[in-house]
Amino acid sequence: QVQLVSSGGGSVQAGGSLRLSCAVFGYAYNMPCMTWFRQAPGKEREGVAAIYTANGGTYYADSVKGRFTISPDNAKNTVYLQMNSLKPEDTASYYCAADWDYGAAHCFARRQSDYPYWGQGTQVTVSS
């Protein structure tokens, strides 16, 4: 049974940085499609960054492009989300999710219903 364990959230001031981690258990490798979602109070959950680990291709939502970086550590079966230049509007609960290999386009579509595996949320709070 695949399990995802996320960590690394916290509280920072605007302009600061945080790195989130999502460790994959129960599978020998990183999952083919790994995505970070976030949900702010009163808002819908949105996929902000995805990686198709078969070729390393990535996708970023416009709201985080240039500030967030998703990357894998295949030796540790872990995917990271490096978040720089954080803004108060980045405040949310962040969730990692994993899917099997249906191709990069499918991965980058970030449809929540497609993901069978989810980590627990980790809170990120950015103060102004």
Side-chain angles (χ1 to χ4, degrees):
Q1 177 71 8
V2 174
Q3 291 185 322
L4 307 180
V5 178
S6 55
S7 60
S11 297
V12 296
Q13 290 191 327
S17 298
L18 284 172
R19 189 179 76 162
L20 306 183
S21 301
C22 180
V24 180
F25 296 93
Y27 189 65
Y29 313 98
N30 275 321
M31 292 288 286
C33 173
M34 299 287 294
T35 300
W36 284 97
F37 289 82
R38 70 183 182 187
Q39 187 167 21
K43 294 188 177 181
E44 293 188 354
R45 189 174 296 185
E46 62 169 337
V48 295
I51 186 166
Y52 181 59
T53 59
N55 63 10
T58 56
Y59 175 92
Y60 297 95
D62 288 343
S63 57
V64 306
K65 198 173 295 182
R67 301 187 298 120
F68 290 12
T69 303
I70 187 170
S71 63
D73 184 334
N74 294 325
K76 296 182 178 180
N77 286 8
T78 297
V79 170
Y80 301 102
L81 184 67
Q82 178 67 43
M83 305 184 294
N84 298 328
S85 302
L86 282 162
K87 305 175 181 180
E89 50 264 42
D90 295 318
T91 296
S93 292
Y94 284 72
Y95 301 85
C96 62
D99 196 6
W100 299 104
D101 191 350
Y102 298 102
H106 182 92
C107 181
F108 297 158
R110 296 156 295 132
R111 288 183 291 266
Q112 296 182 50
S113 59
D114 288 341
Y115 293 83
Y117 307 109
W118 289 80
Q120 83 284 14
T122 185
Q123 179 67 33
V124 171
T125 303
V126 185
S127 57
S128 57

